[in-house]
Every structure is written in C-alpha cells, then in structure tokens.
DNA sequence: TTCATAGTTCGATGCTAATCGAAGCATTGA
DNA sequence: TCAATGCTTCGATTAGCATCGAACTATGAA
C-alpha cells in the first residue's frame, strides 16, 4: 500500500473545470457567494452547490455565513500557491483555454493576484523598485532598503501598521503570464491599494483585471522609471 | 468565457490515484520504466501505458527510449513544486493515506525525495539547521539567515549559482514517514550533493535509500548538533 | 402572513474515463 | 529463425460523477 499524503484527492478537487473556475475567481481575494461562484463557473446553482460542498469537505474553501448568503474564501495561502504553480505549468505546456477572449491582453497587462498587482505591470513594478534600489532581493527573499522605507512613508503607506500584522512585508510571487517575479506580501498589497486611492487604477468588476487610467499609467511609469 | 491558463486540465492529470502514484515515484529523481511505474501505481501494464500516454500528451512527464525500455522522468522542476505544494495541502487538511510509513527501516531513516534528503535524517537536518539559526521559518516558508548564508558559503555551496535558477532556494517539504518538515529546494539539493561529495553518504542503487557511512553520520551529527 | 431570494437536496440522465483481458508490435538474445 | 520481454492498441465493461429540473428549507422584506 502506498504511504504519504493523498495528493490525488486534492488534485482531483482542483481538476474539474467548474471548480477550477470557482477557485480562480476566489484568487481575487474577495469572498464570493455561492450564486456568484455559480456564475463564474458557468453552471447552475444546484451544480455549484454540489461542487462547493466537495470543496468544503476537502477543506479547499472556507464558508462564512452572513444573513442568507454564504460567502466562500480559499482556505489558506497554500491553495493560492498551488493554483499559481498549476497556472505556471499550464502556461508552460500551452494548456491555455482555447477561447482567449478579448479580456486576455488586458489580463496579461495588469491583474490582481489575490491582493497585489500581477501581470506585465506587476513585473515592471518589481523590477522598477529594484532598479531604484527601494527593494532588495537577497537569498532570504525580498526586503525594503532604507531608501525604500523612506519611499513607502512618503507614498502614504503605513509601514508600522503593516508590520504589526503577522504577514510578511515583502514576498516574491511568480507570475504565470510573464514568468517573472512580482511583488507580493503586505507591502505589495498596500502599494496596489494606494494606486486605487490615488485614482491611478481601478478594478474592472467581475474580473481580475486592473485597469489604469492614462494619467495613472503615466504616473506609474514615472514611479518605476524616474 | 474564461480566460487564462487551463489549470483544470493539469490538475486533472495529477488527480488520478494511479497517475499520482507514478508521479510520486518519479519524485525520487530517477528515470523509471513503464513497467516499474505500473508496479508503483499498482495497476496492470496496459492501464499504466494509457496513463503514461496521457501524462506525456500533457507534458507532465518526458519519455526517453533506450533499447526496448521507455524511461520516464518529470518534465520539469515546476512539476516537483506542484507535487510538493499539493502534498503540503493534503497533509494540512488531513488527507493522508498513511497507516504505516515506509516499511524498510533504512528507507525511513534516510532516503532521497527527488533530489534532497528525507526521512528521519532529513527532518533532523531541518531541525538542526533551525536550532543553529541558519534557517528561519515563517508563515510563508523557510529562508536562510545571514548566518546561514555564511555557513553555506563555508560549506562549499555556490549560493549565487543556485539563486540564478528559477527554483526556490529553500522550501519545506513534508515528510510522510516522519510527519515533519525537511528541507527541499535548490539549497536542500545542494546540501545533499555536498554530503555525497564529502563521502558522507551514497545512494543505494535501485532504491531511494541514502546510506551514510559511520564517519559520515558522525560528521552529519556534528553538523546539526555542534 | 405572504412573497422573493439564496441555497440545498433529491433523483434521473448521460458522459467520461479507468480498468483489464487479449492480441499485436518491437526489440533483444539465443 | 525462434522465443522472451517490454510495451502498446483494441474492445468491452464498469463505475463514478458532473449536470440540471424539480422540489424543499431558510432568511429577509413588505
């Protein structure tokens, strides 16, 4: 008999198109209701309910009851990690969904990865901050330099507040479309929040796309390439 | 319509018990023949052939023809990464098939997990490095401390060379015989290579067992418990 | 109370895929 | 040439499961 963790059981849960669509939608970081997830997956509420029951039993998602809604979130960061790795593989071997809609180019350019910026602009942000020596990447991972700390404070980010949380400040996250690192962690999330607040960009509803205004994109370019 | 990489297709390939068994066996890093993989998976050669054809079409494994054998290997380090992440999730949510660990005591003591050390000694290595504060583990994973970087350089490991690769330097890999973490990633692999080079240990052919010499084991104990 | 919405359960259906026996190639060795 | 081994293809069987219509429960609003 085989020993060890039963990866087939977990992988099978991620291996159904409808469930994969739901989980991908949850990577936006928002909690979604059962009905919303049904729409995301393109199935009826009954089918979605069956899938969600399976995902819940397998502890892939966590439900939270609120009024007559049930909101679902991913059960942990390891799920996000697994989905990202699988996306990387699917991308490498060319398993892309055949019908690449009009959204695809926008998605590759700038999208939200859980709560931080990914896509070409996410990678550009990471590289730009590194080139300006605001972040520094050593064997431990990424960290803010002293200059980076000054920058963050000047940019309106409450670093002390972020540090109080358990979550790491900076973290690399591999981008499936660009195949390079972008900036994750609470600092990465805070940066994206500031972009929203400054009006540089906004979320396109019902998708993971982050759309920059012309002026916002110019400001962004100035930021990373002064 | 949905956009992005088709993770369901990849996940479904990993989501069948027979295929998952084969892939887990290939994590030993050795190339295995179709018949060997059939035995590992506990299915007949015909069934295994069908599975291998699917895995090959999905570019999860790579075949290499040699005489009248076909040797299979995993198609890339990202596959290993995916399997490791899935193992971590499966363990976290308690999806274990485990009743008993590896029966062979030697296998339980020290074996290779793809390319790094697993088993009791793998766990001891992880704990020892942590106790010496050479590695540090936070919510997002493991990382080398500054002292760890010095140690690695002094131990003959080319960290800059390792970092040039896309593969993560440090990663926790859950040990299913000891049920604790051992050290994976390129640094974990480099450590095991050094053990071989230093003559501390060698691979037992035709198995995943790593056999330490008496002197080698003593040096290993000194390393992790100075 | 009555109606509307959110979500689930049940049952039927239909499709996919895993499995293995039997037979067929292909390579190697005698 | 013949036999043995490694592996694949074919065909039939089976089981699981995704799907949805219909009916049911629960919450909230009028």
């Amino acid at each position: 008999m085989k020993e060890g963790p039963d990866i087939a059981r977990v992988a099978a849960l991620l291996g159904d198109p409808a469930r994969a669509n739901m989980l991908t939608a949850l990577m936006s970081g928002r909690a979604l209701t059962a009905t919303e997830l049904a729409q995301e997956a393109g199935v009826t509420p009954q089918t979605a309910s069956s899938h969600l029951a399976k995902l819940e039993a397998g502890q892939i998602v966590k439900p939270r009851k609120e009024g007559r809604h049930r909101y679902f979130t991913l059960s942990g960061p390891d799920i996000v990690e697994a989905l990202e790795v699988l996306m990387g593989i699917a991308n490498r071997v060319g398993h892309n969904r055949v019908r690449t809609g009009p959204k695809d180019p926008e998605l590759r350019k700038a999208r939200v990865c859980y709560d931080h910026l990914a896509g070409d602009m996410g990678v550009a942000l990471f590289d730009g901050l590194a080139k300006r020596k605001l972040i520094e990447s050593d064997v431990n991972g990424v960290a803010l330099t002293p200059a980076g700390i000054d920058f963050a404070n000047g940019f309106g980010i409450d670093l002390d507040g972020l540090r109080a949380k358990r979550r790491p400040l900076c973290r690399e996250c591999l981008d499936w479309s660009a195949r390079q690192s972008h900036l994750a962690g609470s600092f990465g999330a805070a940066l994206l929040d500031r972009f929203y607040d400054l009006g540089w960009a906004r979320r396109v509803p019902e998708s993971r796309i982050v759309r920059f205004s012309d002026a916002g994109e110019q400001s962004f370019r100035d930021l990373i390439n002064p």
Side-chain angles (χ1 to χ4, degrees), chain A:
Chain A
M1 194 55 193
K2 290 283 130 186
E3 76 283 345
D6 191 354
I7 68 173
R9 205 156 144 196
V10 178
L13 282 172
L14 315 183
D16 174 81
R19 286 194 292 264
N21 284 341
M22 292 178 176
L23 295 172
T24 307
L26 288 174
M27 281 188 76
S28 70
R30 287 169 47 221
L32 298 174
T33 66
T35 320
E36 285 170 327
L37 288 168
Q39 288 171 344
E40 285 286 343
V43 294
T44 59
Q46 307 95 295
T47 306
S49 180
S50 155
H51 285 306
L52 286 168
K54 288 186 176 73
L55 289 173
E56 191 184 340
Q59 296 184 62
I60 307 297
V61 300
K62 261 188 319 207
R64 178 163 43 90
K65 205 169 161 86
E66 217 162 272
R68 56 177 162 181
H69 296 276
R70 281 184 82 204
Y71 285 93
F72 290 88
T73 52
L74 300 177
S75 71
D78 50 359
I79 307 294
V80 185
E81 211 174 324
L83 294 173
E84 281 284 338
V85 175
L86 289 172
M87 282 183 188
I89 296 173
N91 192 62
R92 169 170 74 80
V93 305
H95 279 178
N96 289 317
R97 274 179 271 226
V98 266
R99 285 207 265 166
T100 53
K103 288 178 178 174
D104 196 62
E106 264 196 292
L107 203 62
R108 281 174 190 275
K109 182 178 175 187
R111 67 174 177 277
V112 81
C113 169
Y114 210 57
D115 57 7
H116 52 271
L117 187 64
D120 291 338
M121 291 183 75
V123 173
L125 176 64
F126 186 91
D127 293 344
L129 293 178
K131 191 172 288 179
R132 285 187 62 184
K133 297 197 189 309
L134 302 180
I135 58 175
E136 196 172 47
S137 153
D138 65 9
V139 283
N140 277 326
V142 215
L144 278 171
T145 61
I149 295 173
D150 290 343
F151 159 79
N153 288 324
F155 198 63
I157 291 176
D158 173 24
L159 281 182
D160 292 330
L162 296 184
R163 284 209 190 86
K165 301 177 185 171
R166 266 195 331 206
R167 188 176 173 198
L169 205 60
C170 290
R171 203 184 128 220
E172 283 180 64
C173 183
L174 193 76
D175 201 292
W176 60 261
S177 61
R179 307 205 55 161
Q180 293 173 62
S181 286
H182 59 248
L183 188 65
S186 61
F187 178 59
L191 268 178
L192 181 58
D193 280 342
R194 279 303 284 161
F195 295 164
Y196 294 148
D197 289 345
L198 291 167
W200 292 8
R202 60 188 176 77
R203 281 285 292 279
V204 177
E206 313 290 322
S207 89
R208 295 170 66 193
I209 295 173
V210 174
R211 187 174 291 154
F212 279 72
S213 67
D214 289 343
E217 184 161 351
Q218 189 53 51
S219 303
F220 177 85
R221 299 284 168 206
D222 293 341
L223 175 72
I224 62 175
N225 191 24

